[in-house]
Amino acid sequence: MLADFNFRIIFEYLPLFLTGLRSTFLISIVSIILALVTGTIACAGRISSIKLLKYPAIAYIEIIRSTPLLVQIYFLYFGLPTLGIRVPEIQTGIIALMLNSGAYIAEIIRAGITSVDDGQIEAGVSSGLNYFQRMRFIILPQALGVTVPPLLGQSIVLVKDSALLSLISVMELTRCGQTMTSERFMPTEAFLTVAFFYMCIYFCLKSLADWSQKKLIFREAY
Amino acid sequence: MMAFYFSRIVEIFPFFLKGLWMTTQIAFISLFTCTILGFIFGILRSGKNIILKRLVGVYVAFVRGTPFVVQVFIVFFILPEWGIQLKAFQAALLAMAIMGSAFICEIVAGGISAISKGQWEAGTASGLTLIQQLRLVVIPQAMKVILPPLVGQYVLLIKDTSVVSVIGVMELTRVGWVTVMRIPEGLMVFSLVGALYFVISYPLILLSNYLERRMAV
């Protein structure tokens, strides 16, 4: 089965894989930062009592959560040009990942905020703190502990989701595997190498997530 | 021009319904197999046999650590090299089964570990065999923990069926992709595709929310 596994070809293609790894890395970091911003805004809309903000936010979150990412990517990839907007594939991909993860992050942050007991907020109000002070000193410090582990989980999902950008010909890790397969027809070597690199990223993020989870329990013990 | 494309899309709407049917088929078959395999793996993972436990652990780590699209490519391109010829539809089902069962395995193992050891011991003391303990004591209680994330996972699995379009299975996303090549109206075509996915997965999302509220202690 793996007897004729060809390591030489992997070494030959290693520079390609490393550039792919680099762009997967960059795409993921940029998208997760943008998604955090989007998610925070969407969450603020979702929990606000102003209907004009609340309902669009709900619609955004629910639509994103109930349609596949691939459809969202294609929607932007084929849809933006019909609106006359022409951007490179990589930007389309980052926008898609941002919008997709943003909806999930909005829900994660909301779960964190609603996990803070009402009594805490009331205590803040009666201590004379205003909205921003309550957020800054009472809600956020408690909510962060509940949100950070799932946020890291979401970033693992995002790294894996970025593989779908290969389908709109963004030159990232999976695309490198496809390129190598079409040039040399060695799918075993190509895709197992790709899988290996993703596993490396996964284990780094996973240990970070586990570590933050442990820290969280530590904080709760106080 | 918009109106023209719109009427074209209405014309080929049956094509979309065919894609929807294919997606539903893949989703149902794989949800079924994933649930069964996931429960078996989950029970093995929380069992006492160290070797099986580790093997399932490695399998789960591999599946969770790699993107589904890479897994689809591995199944579709590598298995033929090893002499296993699969049609695209079969490869899609196999990839879905591999991916879904690993995620459900984790959910089931999490649910089982939430059951206290005393329950197992009570089962042993009542003279139940291991299978009986699982079937009559542990699983019924664990279901309360398992069910909400399981339904959530079903939604993810249904959405992930879109990825198998990359190996040419004529499901909903593929239909959209083929259509957009002929009718260059991406917004319209993929809104329609998205709406059809919404129809399948939104009821499940509502069910998952309901179960989460219901099962919350």
Side-chain angles (χ1 to χ4, degrees):
Chain A
M1 269 167 136
L2 286 175
D4 48 355
F5 194 81
N6 191 342
F7 279 104
R8 268 185 52 201
I9 197 110
I10 294 175
F11 281 114
E12 194 182 313
Y13 273 83
L14 201 59
L16 181 70
F17 280 121
L18 289 181
T19 50
L21 185 66
R22 189 167 143 266
S23 60
T24 288
F25 203 69
L26 288 178
I27 289 170
S28 306
I29 288 188
V30 173
S31 316
I32 197 82
I33 292 171
L34 291 174
L36 270 174
V37 176
T38 319
T40 313
I41 295 170
C43 174
R46 178 75 178 75
I47 58 174
S48 88
S49 44
I50 305 165
K51 283 190 176 142
L52 205 62
L53 293 175
K54 190 177 176 182
Y55 289 113
I58 292 179
Y60 159 68
I61 293 169
E62 296 298 328
I63 287 173
I64 293 286
R65 291 210 313 163
S66 49
T67 52
L69 172 63
L70 187 55
V71 173
Q72 293 157 16
I73 292 173
Y74 282 156
F75 179 80
L76 293 174
Y77 182 64
F78 292 113
L80 287 183
T82 55
L83 292 176
I85 305 167
R86 296 200 172 273
V87 287
E89 294 90 355
I90 190 160
Q91 289 176 22
T92 312
I94 289 175
I95 294 170
L97 287 176
M98 170 191 94
L99 290 177
N100 183 271
S101 278
Y104 289 93
I105 288 177
E107 287 293 277
I108 292 172
I109 297 177
R110 187 167 74 100
I113 290 178
T114 48
S115 76
V116 178
D117 191 52
D118 277 348
Q120 300 273 330
I121 300 165
E122 283 158 19
V125 175
S126 45
S127 313
L129 300 180
N130 66 29
Y131 181 78
F132 288 103
Q133 285 171 326
R134 290 201 303 272
M135 271 289 176
R136 162 78 183 78
F137 294 110
I138 297 175
I139 301 175
L140 282 183
Q142 298 186 62
L144 275 183
V146 192
T147 44
V148 168
L151 278 181
L152 285 168
Q154 181 60 35
S155 51
I156 293 176
V157 171
L158 189 136
V159 171
K160 292 195 286 169
D161 279 347
S162 73
L164 286 179
L165 300 195
S166 64
L167 303 176
I168 56 168
S169 61
V170 174
M171 205 54 198
E172 44 71 75
L173 201 45
T174 310
R175 188 74 184 171
C176 294
Q178 288 173 328
T179 310
M180 182 176 154
T181 305
S182 56
E183 282 177 13
R184 297 295 176 91
F185 207 73
M186 290 201 155
T188 316
E189 285 81 356
F191 287 117
L192 289 184
T193 313
V194 168
F196 170 78
F197 280 120
Y198 277 112
M199 295 282 282
C200 293
I201 306 179
Y202 168 73
F203 277 116
C204 294
L205 285 172
K206 182 84 165 59
S207 16
L208 195 62
D210 290 346
W211 176 79
S212 72
Q213 195 116 36
K214 246 180 241 146
K215 279 281 165 190
L216 173 75
I217 292 163
F218 179 71
R219 270 178 64 174
E220 272 177 353
Y222 270 94
Chain B
M1 210 56 183
M2 280 280 274
F4 170 69
Y5 286 136
F6 186 72
S7 66
R8 287 279 316 263
I9 288 176
V10 171
E11 227 170 81
I12 59 163
F13 189 66
F15 189 40
F16 279 89
L17 287 184
K18 255 189 196 160
L20 182 66
W21 171 233
M22 187 54 136
T23 293
T24 330
Q25 262 178 310
I26 297 174
F28 263 99
I29 299 174
S30 50
L31 289 193
F32 187 71
T33 44
C34 288
T35 310
I36 293 176
L37 287 176
F39 267 85
I40 294 173
F41 290 150
I43 289 166
L44 290 178
R45 181 126 172 80
S46 47
K48 288 206 179 70
N49 190 326
I50 285 288
I51 300 170
L52 280 176
K53 209 170 160 170
R54 287 281 155 78
L55 273 180
V56 175
V58 169
Y59 163 73
V60 169
F62 177 76
V63 171
R64 294 180 66 121
T66 52
F68 181 49
V69 63
V70 174
Q71 292 162 19
V72 172
F73 284 141
I74 288 179
V75 169
F76 192 60
F77 289 118
I78 297 187
L79 289 187
E81 297 243 307
W82 296 350
I84 306 167
Q85 295 288 344
L86 290 175
K87 288 206 182 74
F89 181 67
Q90 295 162 332
L93 288 182
L94 182 60
M96 285 293 293
I98 291 173
M99 188 269 294
S101 59
F103 280 91
I104 292 178
C105 161
E106 284 289 276
I107 294 172
V108 172
I112 291 178
S113 72
I115 301 303
S116 79
K117 222 174 155 222
Q119 297 285 334
W120 290 93
E121 286 164 359
T124 318
S126 319
L128 300 179
T129 64
L130 198 63
I131 305 279
Q132 283 173 325
Q133 283 172 33
L134 267 172
R135 192 169 65 86
L136 300 172
V137 181
V138 178
I139 297 283
Q141 296 182 67
M143 271 329 262
K144 212 175 161 183
V145 188
I146 293 173
L147 213 51
L150 186 64
V151 177
Q153 189 61 48
Y154 284 168
V155 179
L156 293 181
L157 287 182
I158 290 174
K159 290 193 286 172
D160 279 338
T161 59
S162 68
V163 175
V164 302
S165 65
V166 300
I167 53 172
V169 180
M170 258 303 175
E171 45 73 77
L172 201 43
T173 310
R174 184 75 184 172
V175 166
W177 192 83
V178 170
T179 307
V180 91
M181 297 293 149
R182 293 180 208 158
I183 306 172
E185 193 60 53
L187 289 181
M188 224 188 262
V189 171
F190 281 102
S191 306
L192 180 58
V193 171
L196 292 174
Y197 272 109
F198 188 86
V199 170
I200 330 179
S201 52
Y202 196 62
L204 272 178
I205 290 185
L206 291 182
L207 178 65
S208 146
N209 289 349
Y210 167 77
L211 286 174
E212 224 155 84
R213 275 199 306 273
R214 178 84 198 280
M215 301 287 182
V217 192

